[in-house]
Amino acid sequence: MKFITIAAILGLALSFSASAHISLKQSTPQNSAMLMQSPEQLTLTFSGEVQLAKVLLSDAANKQVDFNFKPSAKANSNFSWPLPKLEQGNYTVKWIALGGDGHKMSGNFDFMLHSSDAHSKMKNMSAPHKQHNH
Amino acid sequence: MQLSDWSVLLLLLKIVSYLAIAALAGCLLIRLLNNESTTPDKQLSCFNRYLKRWQITLVMVGFIGAILQIPIEAGAMAESGFAGMIDPFMLDIIWQSVIGEQVSIRVPAFIIALFAVCTWRTHSNSANVANFVITLLALVILTYSFTLTGHSAEKGLLIKSILTLHLIAIASWIGSLWPLYKSCQLLSLNTIKHLMERFGQLAIIIIAVLLISGITLLWQYLNSFSVLFTSNYGQLIMLKLLLVSAMLLLGAWHKLRLVPQITQQHHVVTLKRSISVEMVIAVCVLLTTSVFTTLVGPPV
């Protein structure tokens, strides 16, 4: 009986220590997003607290866009930066972070920005088509 | 699993810390066995002096590795070549993370260990009691420091204590192999036999601790039994278990067959050769453990 009690307490204590791995939960712009307007800000949301070491925003020619990112030792799960007005094209965001367990994590995602001119041209092209249907 | 130059450097750093802690634990165990089993003689003094030099060298290497951990981790984070190792932002990030916490307890622990090892008197038994306690304390702190990072970082104190016990057991076993190998060169037949017999008795307790703690940890880290076969992490664990089983078989062969046979020098040569094979397997165990604790994580 004593053994069963000890085993039960030990089992309960052990089962409380389930682990969870941190990952990028959400981003703005989202991965593979097709945008009609330049995004006003870049946000990254992680499933747990991380220390962000690097966030790089680069265009299709691999030219980096400066958006005043500064690495910080302060751990957080939500990060946000205002973005300058972006030209049309493809963009890649690459991030490097340190998780609470001391493990380095990294990832990247892409988004595409159409110009507002292209957007209005597309609208004009589609308008006669719509009229035709009517 | 990602393998880059920095990953290799981090792996090397981990292996260095494992070797330093193994040398500390193994020599401590052999000192304990020597003190209890025999009265000092010329050969034993020579052997003890060798153990002391060996411990000092390895603890120094471990100490340097602990100091280099922050800049190497910063370099790996920065991904901008060697300049990243001195990037103040990266150094600050690493210092304020659990890695900084680990280094801040590991460096003083290595200094304590170095002090204890350097002040160990190879002749006097009575003066060595305090020294033994200090070395043991440094060993516990050093092994506990491994639980602060990686997959055990978010675990409770109970699991961390079990992991510490597991690490002390494996460090004592693996770290004893080189002193035992050297004892075959430096000690007389009788002393070797006596030392091996006493080590064989103690090894049963070490292995029991190792297996019980190891199974408990496996149960905690793996979500299901099938993960052992379907993930990189599980497959590396299986490889480690296979290697540890080979070490266990060799250990059993030494204890039951080779040690009782020691009556002539050629028996010692056979034992020495067999210990060297066990040492190669032990290095493979350390390498496998370094890979799955540094580069591969348990499946979520």
Side-chain angles (χ1 to χ4, degrees), chain B residues 140-152:
Chain B
V140 172
I141 297 171
L142 284 170
T143 44
Y144 179 76
S145 74
F146 283 97
T147 68
L148 297 175
T149 59
H151 315 297
S152 49

Side-chain angles (χ1 to χ4, degrees), chain A residues 18-73:
Chain A
S19 65
H21 287 258
I22 300 168
S23 59
L24 180 67
K25 206 167 76 177
Q26 209 184 335
S27 69
T28 314
Q30 286 182 348
N31 186 26
S32 308
M34 308 266 271
L35 307 173
M36 291 304 176
Q37 283 183 330
S38 178
E40 285 181 4
Q41 56 179 12
L42 173 66
T43 64
L44 301 178
T45 307
F46 292 86
S47 57
E49 289 197 336
V50 299
Q51 290 166 284
L52 257 187
K54 241 181 199 182
V55 180
L56 300 173
L57 172 63
S58 46
D59 64 14
N62 216 13
K63 196 181 154 201
Q64 281 174 25
V65 179
D66 184 18
F67 61 100
N68 279 326
F69 168 78
K70 288 269 186 297
S72 166

Side-chain angles (χ1 to χ4, degrees), chain A residues 14 17 19 54 94 101 104, chain B residues 76 78-79 93 150 154 159 220:
Chain A
L14 292 170
S17 52
S19 65
K54 241 181 199 182
K94 190 189 174 194
D101 61 355
K104 178 187 162 186
Chain B
E79 289 188 2
I93 287 178
E154 65 262 356
I159 288 295
Q220 269 295 294

Side-chain angles (χ1 to χ4, degrees), chain B residues 35 53 60 68 80 100 108 198 202 210 213 218 237-238 254 278:
Chain B
N35 280 345
R53 280 201 306 274
M60 272 300 285
L68 287 177
S80 54
R198 287 195 63 84
L202 209 61
L210 194 70
S213 57
L218 262 186
I237 294 251
M238 292 286 274
H254 297 163
E278 199 180 345

